[in-house]
Amino acid sequence: MQLAIIGHHGVINDAPEKDGPISTGWRPIRGSLEAMARLHHAGWRIIVASNRPELADGTLQPDSLVRQHASLRRYVADSGGAIEAFSYCPHAPDSECNCHLPGTGLLQDIATRLHISLDGVPVIGDSPTYIQAAMAIGARPILVKTGKGFATVSQPDLDPAVPVFNDLYSAVDSLLKQDLFTADRQTC
Ligand SMILES: [Zn+2]
């Protein structure tokens, strides 16, 4: 079974939700729910990973975060997908924690909890923080041009080896095609 680590805001939906349930005004980026459904049907596990500094500055309460995650799980489930877990850094950007992306603590924690290596595991994000963390830990960074991605793609220090896709849907489409290709080769 394969694993994909997917960014939250800017990858699945447009903007951070305001404090409260995501049932009102929440908008998925076009194709993102379908992309997660396709991964799920192909047997992939999905972890959603993000920084949530709103918890540190008090603009988001922990119980609201729980409700947001439950709502997102429901949206994804209604589309035929499944989010296995949410992994997030609850600290302020200037805290010295290791889990605030681009720190690698968040990804390391996923590897520890699932008892797997993240070598080559796709980390799909919209900002340099995801790219840097994925590279530092030996995972496979993938940039999408949604959210902050359109600005990220034009940054001069972006490694040209990092694959860039228009959105989560096209990134997943490519992953699944490669998956199929690898499976074909293994059975030949
Ligand atoms: Zn942290």
Side-chain angles (χ1 to χ4, degrees), residues 28-157:
I29 290 170
R30 197 157 63 96
S32 68
L33 299 179
E34 292 84 351
M36 287 187 279
R38 288 185 68 197
L39 277 177
H40 179 63
H41 285 293
W44 287 57
R45 304 165 80 173
I46 297 172
I47 306 280
V48 173
S50 60
N51 290 331
R52 296 309 298 262
E54 318 97 287
L55 287 166
D57 67 24
T59 54
L60 178 67
Q61 300 305 316
D63 60 330
S64 298
L65 182 74
V66 170
R67 287 201 302 275
Q68 287 181 3
H69 286 171
S71 305
L72 179 52
R73 268 188 208 277
R74 223 168 20 248
Y75 278 110
V76 173
D78 287 349
S79 301
I83 293 172
E84 179 169 330
F86 290 88
S87 189
Y88 58 91
C89 164
H91 308 115
D94 60 354
S95 70
E96 301 208 339
C97 73
N98 183 36
C99 55
H100 199 89
L101 295 159
T104 55
L106 205 60
L107 301 182
Q108 267 159 358
D109 180 56
I110 293 169
T112 305
R113 277 195 286 157
L114 301 183
H115 305 289
I116 56 164
S117 160
L118 293 189
D119 277 357
V121 166
V123 176
I124 306 172
D126 67 328
S127 68
T129 57
Y130 286 97
I131 308 295
Q132 289 165 25
M135 285 181 138
I137 205 169
R140 180 174 160 199
I142 294 175
L143 180 64
V144 287
K145 288 200 276 186
T146 51
K148 295 176 192 151
F150 199 72
T152 305
V153 79
S154 55
Q155 289 197 356
D157 55 349

